[in-house]
Amino acid sequence: PSDLISVRTCLSCNKSTSDIEEIFKVYIGFLCGHGVEGEKLFKSQTLKTLDHNRRLKRDLAGSLHDIWIQATDGVSERKAAVRFNTKPFDCIAEKTVRGIYFRQTGEILANRVDFKIIWPNKLTTEAYAISKKWPSGIVGGGQFSYRFLIHRENPLASIWILEFFNKTLACCLVLPNK
C-alpha cells in the first residue's frame, strides 16, 4: 500500500527476517484470502511466492491434513487445513510493533524488552471496548490496523493489538527486561 509504515533499520535486522516474511506472507494469504482485498493478496502475492519457493510449497503440502468444521447450523464438514506455525507470525508481529513503537515515540526498543504474543480468534467484548479508546492506525485502507497503549510511567511497557485484513489478530504484550 502507498501508506505503508516504514522505519530505518540496520541491514542485519532487516535481512534477518526476509525468509520469515515470505513464510508469513503465504500463511496470511491463506488465512485472509477472503473478500476482495484478501483474494487480491492471495493471487498477487501468495501464489507468486509459492511458484518460486518450492521448499515452502513442499512444506505446506506436507502439513496438509483434514479437519472437521462445525457450521452454525450444526452440520460438520471436512476441510483441508495446514498446520499453523506461530514462529513466523511472532517474528513479524514483534518486528511490526518495534517499527510502530519507534514511529510513535522516536525510541528504539532494542533488547531492553521481552515480547509475549498470542493469536486469538477474536477479542472479548470487554477487550474490544477498552482498546477502542487507544491510539490507533490503519494501513492500506484497512489491510492492516493496530491499536496500542504505552504505559505512562514506564514507556517500555505497552500492549498492542494488530489486525490483518479484519480477520487475523495478534495481541502483543511488551515488558521491560528484568
Side-chain angles (χ1 to χ4, degrees):
S2 61
D3 58 349
L4 188 67
I5 297 170
S6 61
V7 295
R8 299 177 102 189
T9 183
C10 69
L11 185 59
S12 97
C13 286
N14 195 37
K15 290 291 183 190
S16 69
T17 59
S18 61
D19 289 343
I20 291 171
E21 287 172 357
E22 194 162 85
I23 294 167
F24 176 80
K25 181 172 54 174
V26 168
Y27 273 90
I28 205 76
F30 277 110
L31 286 170
C32 301
H34 311 284
V36 176
E37 288 301 319
E39 286 181 25
K40 196 169 18 171
L41 169 76
F42 188 79
K43 289 176 182 172
S44 69
Q45 299 294 319
T46 306
L47 294 178
K48 186 176 167 183
T49 298
L50 288 174
D51 281 345
H52 83 269
N53 189 330
R54 291 193 175 112
R55 183 183 54 97
L56 179 55
K57 190 176 192 175
R58 190 175 48 248
D59 290 348
L60 274 171
S63 79
L64 272 172
H65 63 285
D66 288 335
I67 59 171
W68 287 93
I69 304 288
Q70 186 170 358
T72 53
D73 61 6
V75 176
S76 293
E77 61 181 314
R78 198 170 164 163
K79 295 279 188 175
V82 293
R83 301 215 189 292
F84 184 73
N85 177 0
T86 63
K87 184 181 178 200
F89 280 74
D90 291 352
C91 181
I92 297 305
E94 181 177 330
K95 183 177 179 179
T96 301
V97 167
R98 287 178 181 279
I100 299 171
Y101 182 90
F102 177 77
R103 183 151 188 224
Q104 294 293 325
T105 67
E107 295 291 322
I108 298 171
L109 289 171
N111 60 357
R112 302 181 295 165
V113 297
D114 293 316
F115 279 77
K116 171 69 177 158
I117 303 169
I118 60 168
W119 295 89
N121 289 330
K122 62 181 181 176
L123 293 179
T124 64
T125 304
E126 296 82 10
Y128 182 79
I130 291 168
S131 68
K132 259 325 229 187
K133 300 172 187 168
W134 298 353
S136 62
I138 296 174
V139 178
Q143 293 179 36
F144 171 72
S145 63
Y146 61 94
R147 288 175 262 171
F148 64 96
L149 185 63
I150 299 173
H151 195 282
R152 277 181 288 214
E153 294 170 20
N154 187 348
L156 290 179
S158 58
I159 187 166
W160 300 77
I161 299 173
L162 311 178
E163 190 170 10
F164 303 90
F165 294 94
N166 295 314
K167 185 164 174 80
T168 302
L169 288 170
C171 295
C172 308
L173 179 62
V174 182
L175 295 171
N177 294 353
K178 291 187 178 190

